Amino acid sequence: MAISKIFENTEVAFRLKSDSELERAYFLFKMISHEPLVRIGTAATNFALKARLPVEGLIRSTVFDHFCGGVNEEDCLPVIDRMYAKGVSSVLDYSVEGKEIESHFDAAMEKTLKIINFADEKKSMPIAVFKPTGFGRFHLYQKKGEGKPFTPKEQEEWERVVARFDKVCKLAKEKDVEILIDSEQSWMQDAADDLCEAMMRKYNTGVPVVYNTLQLYRWDRLDYLKSLHKRAKKDGFTVGAKIVRGAYMEKERERAEEEGYESPICATKEATDLNFDETLEYILRNLDTISLFIGTHNEQSCYLAMQLMADLGIDKSDNRVWFGQLYGMSDHISFNLAEHGYNVAKYVPFGPVKDVMPYLIRRAEENTSVAGQTSRELSLIKTERKRRKL
Ligand SMILES: Cc1cc2nc3c(=O)[nH]c(=O)nc-3n(C[C@H](O)[C@H](O)[C@H](O)COP(=O)(O)OP(=O)(O)OC[C@H]3O[C@@H](n4cnc5c(N)ncnc54)[C@H](O)[C@@H]3O)c2cc1C
């Protein structure tokens, strides 16, 4: 049976947006479709924040409110409830980045624990998330992954990172809340992968609770998944896999070139797409031992997942398959999938305005550089404006 095209329904896509919110979204995507504007805007914003100029209000009423749920978790509740009324769940994402001191790592862990406890009480938040570098220093992961010996002090520091992972995964297991662990740059990822595997061994004893992220712009990830899967079957644990294409392509290529090693990134976009699709299929064919979270804004990948689910007789609402998009992006995918009975969750970033700037800048740059993505958002908004006028 062929899957029907469901993403063109803009009425469903934007029904949570008032006319003025729709106008703001239009204005925003129009602005960030201009690369020079994003570059100048980013530099000006960074400067203004450093110089303590009063720009927070402006950021808040434009990019921030579009891409973030609020400055703290309570702030996000109205957004979460409104989305859930339309069948879309939320993954609260504490998006403060680049703070490399112990007190911040502890604070990020406490936030994640709080969100898991929060999620336990609310059906609208069945999943939580954290970033490895939210719990420990980037260079510590890198050193660990490279197999270089730690000093006694670093060893203690590493043990605190392991303890943070463990505390969060343990609570997730107790509360039956799935925990997604984001992936970052490849040169710190080996150590994070090993830690994720250790958590899966401990806590994925039945239906998976702990999910690692596979970035499929990396050509080695399907082989990695297959070897992890083999170990899981042999040693009696299950695998949670969040699949994404990957957000650090330019940095990855630059570093590989500078340091003279083979780039870990697929040579072309088509190769990444193929890798993504093959991995998607491998997981859907092994759902008894691997659960799946599909993090993408790519319509074709979503249609493929829907088609494979139908062909393999997997129920649309099977709890082992989730679709995920970021808040403020691709509502036409999220809300139409939910309307048709699929499990969908949106990442809802939150945090103090100036601390989520790296996240916001990544979103602006992504919407500038990803050919087609912004123009797609713009054309969908235009269609919806026209429909509302009629
Ligand atoms: C819910 C969710 C969670 C996410 N979590 C993470 C995470 O943990 N870690 C992370 O790194 N990213 C994460 N991302 C971001 C993600 O990796 C992508 O950057 C983003 O979603 C765009 O990819 P796409 O599949 O939506 O769509 P598309 O627009 O189809 O793909 C764009 C992507 O394709 C790849 N690509 C583009 N050009 C080329 C090229 N020339 N050669 C090879 N590959 C190319 C890049 O990865 C680029 O980001 C997440 C995204 C979502 C929606």
Side-chain angles (χ1 to χ4, degrees), residues 182-183 213 215 217 242 244-249 253 265-269 272-273 293 295-298 324-326 347 366 370 373:
D182 280 351
S183 277
T213 302
Q215 297 156 306
Y217 62 10
K242 180 178 91 176
V244 300
R245 281 184 169 73
Y248 307 92
M249 183 174 76
R253 285 187 168 151
I265 306 299
C266 294
T268 60
K269 172 73 163 70
T272 296
D273 291 344
F293 186 99
T296 186
H297 299 137
N298 182 301
Q325 288 77 43
L326 306 179
Y347 266 36
E366 180 177 285
V370 176
Q373 193 144 282

Side-chain angles (χ1 to χ4, degrees), residues 197 200-201 204 225-239 289-290:
E197 182 170 339
M200 287 189 203
R201 282 177 185 275
N204 287 0
L225 174 67
K226 286 181 179 168
S227 67
L228 173 66
H229 188 208
K230 210 165 159 185
R231 292 192 291 281
K233 283 197 290 192
K234 184 167 141 290
D235 299 341
F237 65 98
T238 53
V239 175
T289 40
I290 316 180

Side-chain angles (χ1 to χ4, degrees), residues 216 222 245 269-280:
L216 292 153
L222 180 52
R245 281 184 169 73
K269 172 73 163 70
E270 290 68 34
T272 296
D273 291 344
L274 193 66
N275 202 27
F276 189 94
D277 293 349
E278 280 179 8
T279 307
L280 176 68

Side-chain angles (χ1 to χ4, degrees), residues 6 23 31 74 76 92 98 105 145 200 208 224 230 232 249 251 258 260 267 272 303 312 335-336 343 362 371 383:
I6 62 169
E23 285 313 307
M31 298 264 285
E74 284 81 15
C76 300
L92 270 183
F105 298 142
M200 287 189 203
Y224 168 75
K230 210 165 159 185
M249 183 174 76
K251 276 193 208 161
E258 267 166 34
T272 296
Y303 281 132
L312 295 166
F335 288 95
N336 281 304
N343 296 316
R362 261 213 313 286
T383 309

